[in-house]
C-alpha cells in the first residue's frame, strides 16, 4: 500500500470516539462517524499498519450479503431472512456508492460470481441455492456444457450457477483508500500503537498502549481476529488461517484456453472450497481449501507462511485448470479469519453502552464490515434502527469450548466436512451442529 506509515501514539490524549483497529471495520467506522459527527474528535489506533491483517489479505470478494449468503439467512434466521437478504443487497449498493463518492480507485467490478460444482450432490446444492435466490426475486443461471465453458472450462466442474449481482475488488487498494480518506477528513490515525487494556474510569474509558493513555467518551472495538480486549468475547471467535496464491500475468490465449475471458469471480461448492478471481493485470488469485486452526488459538505471524498448503493449492490449481500447467506463481500469502460458530458477524455494546464491538465475519467481511460499522454507530447513538434490531446482529454465537475440547471439536468437524465432500453424506455430528445453529466455514 502506498504512503508512509503514520506515527505511533506517543502522548496521552482525550477524544470523543476512539476506534481500536485500522482494518475495514475500523476505517468504515471512522468515516461514517465523521459523516454523522463532523465536529467530534475521532481517533483510530492500529497495532500495525492499517490493512496489514485480514483486510489486506483476503480474496477481494464483495458479497451482496450480510448473512453469509441467502441460504444461510433462511436456515438460521427464517423470520428475518427477507430483511437480511434485502439489507445485504442495499449494503452492496451503498458500498459501491461510498467508494465512488470517496474517490477510491479500488478496481471495483460488479462482474458477478460463478459457483461451480464437481459432484452430483454439489449440483443439487447449486439448484437448491438457485431456488432460494428465486424466492427473493433474484435471477441466477444454471450453466452446463458450452454455456459453462464460456465462463470457465475445467475438467473438474460440470455445472455452474452464475450470480450477476456480485462484485470484486482489490482489497489492498480499498483499505489504502479508506485510510487516506480518514486522514483527509481529520481523523487522527496512529499506527504501530497496539492497545493493551481498556479500564473504565468515570464517564470515560481509558485505553492503554505501551507509551500513552487515551481517555474516550465512546469506543469501537474493530480488532477482527486479534485477541479480543473484552474477555467475555474471547471464546466467541477462533483464528482460522487461510492461504492464497497468485499467478504471473496471463495473456489472451491462456485465458481463452480456460474459457475465463470475463471479469467474474469463481468459487467451487465444496466444504473445502476454492475461491478465485482475476486481478487488473490478468493474474489469477487462487485461494482457500485449507482452513487451518492451531491449538490454543495460536496467532503467530510465522503461521502465515505454510509451504505445504501453498503446494497443495498449486496442485489443485493445476488439476482444475490443466491448460495452465506451465504457469508460475508470483505471490503466496496467508492470513487469519475471525471465525464465529455460526459463520456470521455479530455486533453489540458493553460498558454501559459506551463501547461497541463487531467481530466474527468468518471470511465475509469485505462488504459486511461497512454494515457492521453503521450498526455500531447506531448503537452508540442509542438509536433503534432496522440494523440494530436484527437477531443476527444482537445474539452472540455459541462460544467455542476451551482446549483441548476446542481442537478436538474442530478437527472432527473438518474431518466430517471432508468426508461429505467425498461422499455427499452429512454425518450425524454435523447434523447435530446444524440443529444447534453451529457451523464451521470460511
Amino acid at each position: 500500500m502506498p504512503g508512509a506509515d503514520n506515527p505511533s501514539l506517543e502522548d496521552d490524549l482525550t477524544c470523543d470516539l476512539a476506534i481500536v483497529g485500522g482494518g475495514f471495520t475500523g476505517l468504515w467506522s471512522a468515516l461514517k462517524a465523521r459523516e454523522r459527527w463532523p465536529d467530534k474528535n475521532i481517533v483510530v489506533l492500529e497495532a500495525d499498519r492499517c490493512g496489514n491483517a485480514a483486510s489486506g489479505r483476503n480474496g477481494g470478494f464483495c458479497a451482496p450479503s450480510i448473512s453469509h449468503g441467502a441460504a444461510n439467512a433462511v436456515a438460521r434466521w427464517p423470520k428475518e431472512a427477507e430483511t437480511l437478504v434485502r439489507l445485504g443487497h442495499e449494503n452492496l449498493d451503498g458500498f459501491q456508492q461510498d467508494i465512488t463518492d470517496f474517490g477510491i480507485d479500488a478496481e471495483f467490478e460488479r462482474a458477478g460470481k460463478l459457483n461451480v460444482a464437481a459432484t452430483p450432490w454439489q449440483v443439487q446444492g447449486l439448484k437448491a441455492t438457485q431456488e432460494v435466490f428465486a424466492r427473493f426475486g433474484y435471477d441466477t443461471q444454471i450453466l452446463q456444457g458450452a454455456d459453462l465453458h464460456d465462463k470457465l472450462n475445467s475438467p473438474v466442474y460440470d455445472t455452474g450457477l452464475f450470480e450477476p449481482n456480485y462484485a470484486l475488488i482489490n482489497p489492498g487498494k480499498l483499505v489504502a483508500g479508506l485510510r487516506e480518506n480518514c486522514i483527509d477528513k481529520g481523523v487522527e490515525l496512529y499506527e504501530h500503537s497496539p492497545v493493551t487494556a481498556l479500564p473504565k474510569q468515570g464517564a470515560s474509558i481509558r485505553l492503554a498502549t505501551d507509551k500513552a493513555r487515551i481517555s474516550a467518551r465512546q469506543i469501537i472495538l474493530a480488532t477482527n481476529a486479534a485477541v479480543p480486549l473484552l474477555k467475555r468475547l474471547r471464546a466467541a471467535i477462533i483464528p482460522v488461517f487461510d492461504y492464497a496464491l497468485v499467478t504471473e500475468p496471463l495473456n489472451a490465449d491462456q485465458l481463452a484456453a480456460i474459457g475465463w475471458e470475463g471479469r467474474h469471480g469463481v468459487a467451487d461448492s465444496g466444504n473445502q472450497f476454492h475461491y478465485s478471481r482475476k486481478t487488473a493485470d490478468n493474474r489469477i488469485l487462487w485461494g482457500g481449501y485449507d482452513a487451518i486452526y492451531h491449538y490454543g488459538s495460536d496467532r503467530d505471524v510465522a503461521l502465515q507462511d505454510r509451504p505445504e498448503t501453498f503446494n497443495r493449492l498449486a496442485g489443485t490449481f493445476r488439476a482444475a485448470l490443466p491448460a495452465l500447467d506451465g504457469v508460475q506463481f508470483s505471490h503466496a500469502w496467508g492470513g487469519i479469519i475471525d471465525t464465529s460458530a455460526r459463520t456470521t458477524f455479530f455486533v453489540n455494546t458493553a460498558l454501559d453502552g459506551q463501547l461497541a464491538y463487531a467481530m466474527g465475519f468468518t471470511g465475509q467481511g469485505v462488504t459486511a464490515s461497512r454494515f457492521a460499522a453503521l450498526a455500531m454507530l447506531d448503537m452508540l447513538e442509542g438509536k433503534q434502527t432496522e440494523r440494530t434490531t436484527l437477531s443476527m446482529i444482537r445474539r452472540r454465537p455459541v462460544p467455542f469450548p476451551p482446549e483441548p475440547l476446542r481442537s478436538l471439536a474442530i478437527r472432527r468437524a473438518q474431518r466430517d466436512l471432508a468426508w461429505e465432500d467425498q461422499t455427499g453424506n452429512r454425518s450425524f455430528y454435523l447434523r447435530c451442529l446444524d440443529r444447534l445453529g453451529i457451523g464451521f466455514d470460511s
Side-chain angles (χ1 to χ4, degrees):
M1 287 175 284
D5 290 9
N6 266 33
S8 61
L9 181 62
E10 303 286 340
D11 301 312
D12 294 354
L13 61 78
T14 299
C15 63
D16 296 303
L17 175 64
I19 299 170
V20 184
F24 288 150
T25 307
L27 296 175
W28 277 119
S29 296
L31 287 174
K32 289 300 181 181
R34 174 58 75 224
E35 288 180 354
R36 296 187 188 207
W37 307 316
D39 300 323
K40 284 192 176 182
N41 179 223
I42 301 168
V43 173
V44 174
L45 300 158
E46 165 55 40
D48 196 306
R49 161 85 178 199
C50 287
N52 194 48
S55 294
R57 294 174 176 268
N58 62 81
F61 281 71
C62 300
S65 174
I66 58 171
S67 58
H68 213 115
N72 195 49
V74 171
R76 296 180 187 273
W77 299 281
K79 292 182 180 179
E80 61 184 29
E82 185 173 347
T83 300
L84 288 169
V85 172
R86 174 178 55 79
L87 289 175
H89 283 256
E90 290 176 359
N91 183 60
L92 180 57
D93 291 340
F95 178 99
Q96 182 175 3
Q97 188 62 55
D98 276 345
I99 63 173
T100 298
D101 292 346
F102 292 142
I104 298 175
D105 179 14
E107 299 168 7
F108 181 90
E109 299 177 282
R110 205 157 181 165
K113 177 188 173 189
L114 176 66
N115 306 278
V116 289
T119 64
W121 46 91
Q122 290 177 8
V123 173
Q124 290 303 312
L126 290 185
K127 291 178 179 178
T129 300
Q130 185 182 43
E131 291 175 0
V132 172
F133 279 120
R135 167 180 166 180
F136 297 109
Y138 297 108
D139 293 330
T140 57
Q141 296 173 278
I142 291 286
L143 303 174
Q144 293 179 315
D147 292 333
L148 176 61
H149 295 165
D150 284 344
K151 291 192 179 296
L152 187 73
N153 189 352
S154 165
V156 173
Y157 310 115
D158 61 13
T159 304
L161 175 69
F162 186 67
E163 300 176 53
N165 187 33
Y166 210 103
L168 301 158
I169 206 161
N170 181 319
K173 286 190 173 184
L174 173 60
V175 75
L178 294 172
R179 176 181 179 273
E180 182 180 351
N181 270 270
C182 284
I183 295 169
D184 289 347
K185 297 179 189 308
V187 173
E188 293 183 47
L189 196 156
Y190 298 96
E191 295 178 312
H192 307 288
S193 302
V195 174
T196 56
L198 44 76
K200 190 176 188 302
Q201 187 172 351
S204 297
I205 307 173
R206 304 280 291 182
L207 293 172
T209 72
D210 57 352
K211 296 180 181 178
R213 298 292 181 270
I214 305 96
S215 178
R217 291 182 58 247
Q218 293 180 313
I219 287 177
I220 282 176
L221 294 184
T223 53
N224 193 262
V227 177
L229 289 167
L230 286 176
K231 290 183 179 180
R232 73 183 76 169
L233 300 176
R234 291 183 183 175
I237 60 167
I238 57 170
V240 173
F241 284 74
D242 184 50
Y243 300 88
L245 301 175
V246 176
T247 70
E248 61 190 5
L250 304 182
N251 59 41
D253 289 341
Q254 289 172 311
L255 293 172
I258 60 171
W260 195 354
E261 299 179 87
R263 298 297 304 174
H264 52 277
V266 179
D268 67 43
S269 302
N271 294 310
Q272 294 178 289
F273 67 95
H274 300 92
Y275 55 85
S276 188
R277 69 174 177 89
K278 291 158 66 174
T279 65
D281 58 351
N282 284 333
R283 302 170 188 265
I284 290 181
L285 180 150
W286 183 260
Y289 194 77
D290 274 357
I292 307 298
Y293 171 77
H294 295 278
Y295 187 89
S297 295
D298 193 350
R299 293 167 168 84
D300 192 327
V301 68
L303 298 172
Q304 294 176 1
D305 181 19
R306 196 167 193 267
E308 58 266 48
T309 290
F310 297 142
N311 290 335
R312 185 173 294 116
L313 283 172
T316 57
F317 175 89
R318 301 193 194 288
L321 302 171
L324 302 180
D325 185 58
V327 168
Q328 299 299 306
F329 297 100
S330 59
H331 299 79
W333 67 80
I336 301 177
I337 297 169
D338 60 329
T339 300
S340 78
R342 67 176 191 201
T343 73
T344 56
F345 72 94
F346 52 97
V347 178
N348 217 315
T349 60
L351 303 183
D352 301 320
Q354 288 178 269
L355 179 149
Y357 57 82
M359 60 180 57
F361 291 94
T362 319
Q364 298 284 306
V366 176
T367 49
S369 56
R370 175 186 179 274
F371 188 93
L374 294 170
M376 286 191 288
L377 294 172
D378 288 346
M379 290 179 184
L380 289 178
E381 283 192 292
K383 289 183 176 179
Q384 188 175 68
T385 66
E386 192 173 36
R387 287 184 286 261
T388 64
T389 54
L390 291 170
S391 296
M392 189 200 83
I393 292 286
R394 299 301 295 259
R395 293 181 186 172
R396 279 166 46 192
V398 174
F400 288 95
E403 296 289 12
L405 291 177
R406 179 178 298 185
S407 290
L408 291 171
I410 292 169
R411 282 202 299 269
R412 173 65 186 273
Q414 289 179 314
R415 187 194 73 183
D416 287 10
L417 289 167
W419 183 71
E420 183 181 24
D421 282 343
Q422 295 167 7
T423 67
N425 298 316
R426 196 157 183 84
S427 70
F428 176 74
Y429 177 69
L430 292 178
R431 293 198 307 268
C432 289
L433 294 182
D434 293 340
R435 284 193 288 271
L436 294 171
I438 298 171
F440 187 79
D441 207 342
S442 62

